[in-house]
PDB file of all heavy atoms in Angstrom:
ATOM      1  N   SER A 125     211.560 190.237 -40.837  1.00  0.00           N
ATOM      2  CA  SER A 125     211.178 191.017 -39.675  1.00  0.00           C
ATOM      3  C   SER A 125     212.290 191.528 -38.874  1.00  0.00           C
ATOM      4  O   SER A 125     213.163 190.654 -38.440  1.00  0.00           O
ATOM      5  CB  SER A 125     210.370 189.958 -38.806  1.00  0.00           C
ATOM      6  OG  SER A 125     210.204 190.598 -37.551  1.00  0.00           O
ATOM      7  N   HIS A 148     209.574 194.096 -42.793  1.00  0.00           N
ATOM      8  CA  HIS A 148     208.471 193.839 -41.848  1.00  0.00           C
ATOM      9  C   HIS A 148     208.845 194.541 -40.523  1.00  0.00           C
ATOM     10  O   HIS A 148     209.814 194.195 -39.911  1.00  0.00           O
ATOM     11  CB  HIS A 148     208.211 192.401 -41.701  1.00  0.00           C
ATOM     12  CG  HIS A 148     206.988 192.076 -40.930  1.00  0.00           C
ATOM     13  ND1 HIS A 148     205.734 192.056 -41.353  1.00  0.00           N
ATOM     14  CD2 HIS A 148     206.887 191.663 -39.546  1.00  0.00           C
ATOM     15  CE1 HIS A 148     204.809 191.707 -40.521  1.00  0.00           C
ATOM     16  NE2 HIS A 148     205.548 191.526 -39.323  1.00  0.00           N
ATOM     17  N   VAL A 149     207.922 195.354 -39.952  1.00  0.00           N
ATOM     18  CA  VAL A 149     208.267 195.991 -38.764  1.00  0.00           C
ATOM     19  C   VAL A 149     207.160 195.715 -37.735  1.00  0.00           C
ATOM     20  O   VAL A 149     205.896 196.045 -37.896  1.00  0.00           O
ATOM     21  CB  VAL A 149     208.257 197.650 -39.016  1.00  0.00           C
ATOM     22  CG1 VAL A 149     208.504 198.435 -37.743  1.00  0.00           C
ATOM     23  CG2 VAL A 149     209.201 198.030 -40.173  1.00  0.00           C
ATOM     24  N   ASP A 150     207.589 195.129 -36.657  1.00  0.00           N
ATOM     25  CA  ASP A 150     206.574 194.765 -35.533  1.00  0.00           C
ATOM     26  C   ASP A 150     206.492 195.726 -34.485  1.00  0.00           C
ATOM     27  O   ASP A 150     207.363 195.983 -33.760  1.00  0.00           O
ATOM     28  CB  ASP A 150     206.993 193.364 -35.005  1.00  0.00           C
ATOM     29  CG  ASP A 150     206.914 192.141 -35.939  1.00  0.00           C
ATOM     30  OD1 ASP A 150     205.808 192.114 -36.487  1.00  0.00           O
ATOM     31  OD2 ASP A 150     207.944 191.485 -36.170  1.00  0.00           O
ATOM     32  N   HIS A 181     203.284 195.998 -38.920  1.00  0.00           N
ATOM     33  CA  HIS A 181     202.272 195.125 -38.291  1.00  0.00           C
ATOM     34  C   HIS A 181     202.059 195.632 -36.900  1.00  0.00           C
ATOM     35  O   HIS A 181     202.883 195.602 -36.066  1.00  0.00           O
ATOM     36  CB  HIS A 181     202.954 193.704 -38.286  1.00  0.00           C
ATOM     37  CG  HIS A 181     202.173 192.665 -37.606  1.00  0.00           C
ATOM     38  ND1 HIS A 181     202.785 191.466 -37.292  1.00  0.00           N
ATOM     39  CD2 HIS A 181     200.961 192.690 -37.178  1.00  0.00           C
ATOM     40  CE1 HIS A 181     201.866 190.780 -36.641  1.00  0.00           C
ATOM     41  NE2 HIS A 181     200.714 191.493 -36.535  1.00  0.00           N
ATOM     42  N   MET A 183     200.580 195.369 -33.500  1.00  0.00           N
ATOM     43  CA  MET A 183     200.092 194.506 -32.508  1.00  0.00           C
ATOM     44  C   MET A 183     199.692 195.336 -31.351  1.00  0.00           C
ATOM     45  O   MET A 183     200.383 195.304 -30.378  1.00  0.00           O
ATOM     46  CB  MET A 183     201.049 193.383 -32.168  1.00  0.00           C
ATOM     47  CG  MET A 183     201.225 192.258 -33.283  1.00  0.00           C
ATOM     48  SD  MET A 183     202.634 191.357 -33.265  1.00  0.00           S
ATOM     49  CE  MET A 183     203.670 192.480 -34.146  1.00  0.00           C
ATOM     50  N   LEU A 256     196.920 189.113 -43.602  1.00  0.00           N
ATOM     51  CA  LEU A 256     198.087 188.345 -42.859  1.00  0.00           C
ATOM     52  C   LEU A 256     197.474 187.306 -41.969  1.00  0.00           C
ATOM     53  O   LEU A 256     196.709 187.724 -41.037  1.00  0.00           O
ATOM     54  CB  LEU A 256     198.881 189.461 -42.105  1.00  0.00           C
ATOM     55  CG  LEU A 256     199.843 188.980 -41.113  1.00  0.00           C
ATOM     56  CD1 LEU A 256     200.728 187.849 -41.782  1.00  0.00           C
ATOM     57  CD2 LEU A 256     200.685 190.123 -40.643  1.00  0.00           C
ATOM     58  N   MET A 258     198.382 184.876 -39.091  1.00  0.00           N
ATOM     59  CA  MET A 258     199.540 184.700 -38.161  1.00  0.00           C
ATOM     60  C   MET A 258     199.587 183.167 -38.055  1.00  0.00           C
ATOM     61  O   MET A 258     198.673 182.359 -37.889  1.00  0.00           O
ATOM     62  CB  MET A 258     199.161 185.198 -36.812  1.00  0.00           C
ATOM     63  CG  MET A 258     199.176 186.771 -36.730  1.00  0.00           C
ATOM     64  SD  MET A 258     200.745 187.505 -37.246  1.00  0.00           S
ATOM     65  CE  MET A 258     201.832 186.792 -36.084  1.00  0.00           C
ATOM     66  N   ASP A 296     203.048 185.046 -41.176  1.00  0.00           N
ATOM     67  CA  ASP A 296     203.951 185.547 -40.354  1.00  0.00           C
ATOM     68  C   ASP A 296     204.049 184.757 -39.008  1.00  0.00           C
ATOM     69  O   ASP A 296     203.039 184.501 -38.301  1.00  0.00           O
ATOM     70  CB  ASP A 296     203.421 186.975 -39.852  1.00  0.00           C
ATOM     71  CG  ASP A 296     204.417 187.704 -38.883  1.00  0.00           C
ATOM     72  OD1 ASP A 296     205.515 187.279 -38.690  1.00  0.00           O
ATOM     73  OD2 ASP A 296     204.009 188.844 -38.422  1.00  0.00           O
ATOM     74  N   VAL A 316     206.755 186.517 -44.144  1.00  0.00           N
ATOM     75  CA  VAL A 316     207.493 187.239 -43.107  1.00  0.00           C
ATOM     76  C   VAL A 316     208.598 186.169 -42.616  1.00  0.00           C
ATOM     77  O   VAL A 316     208.209 185.096 -42.343  1.00  0.00           O
ATOM     78  CB  VAL A 316     206.632 187.690 -41.943  1.00  0.00           C
ATOM     79  CG1 VAL A 316     207.540 188.422 -40.886  1.00  0.00           C
ATOM     80  CG2 VAL A 316     205.615 188.755 -42.429  1.00  0.00           C
TER      81      VAL A 316
HETATM   82 ZN1  LIG B 501     204.843 190.507 -37.522  1.00  0.00          ZN
END
Side-chain angles (χ1 to χ4, degrees):
S125 166
H148 188 81
V149 181
D150 287 308
H181 175 192
M183 284 159 276
L256 167 50
M258 290 305 300
D296 180 9
V316 177

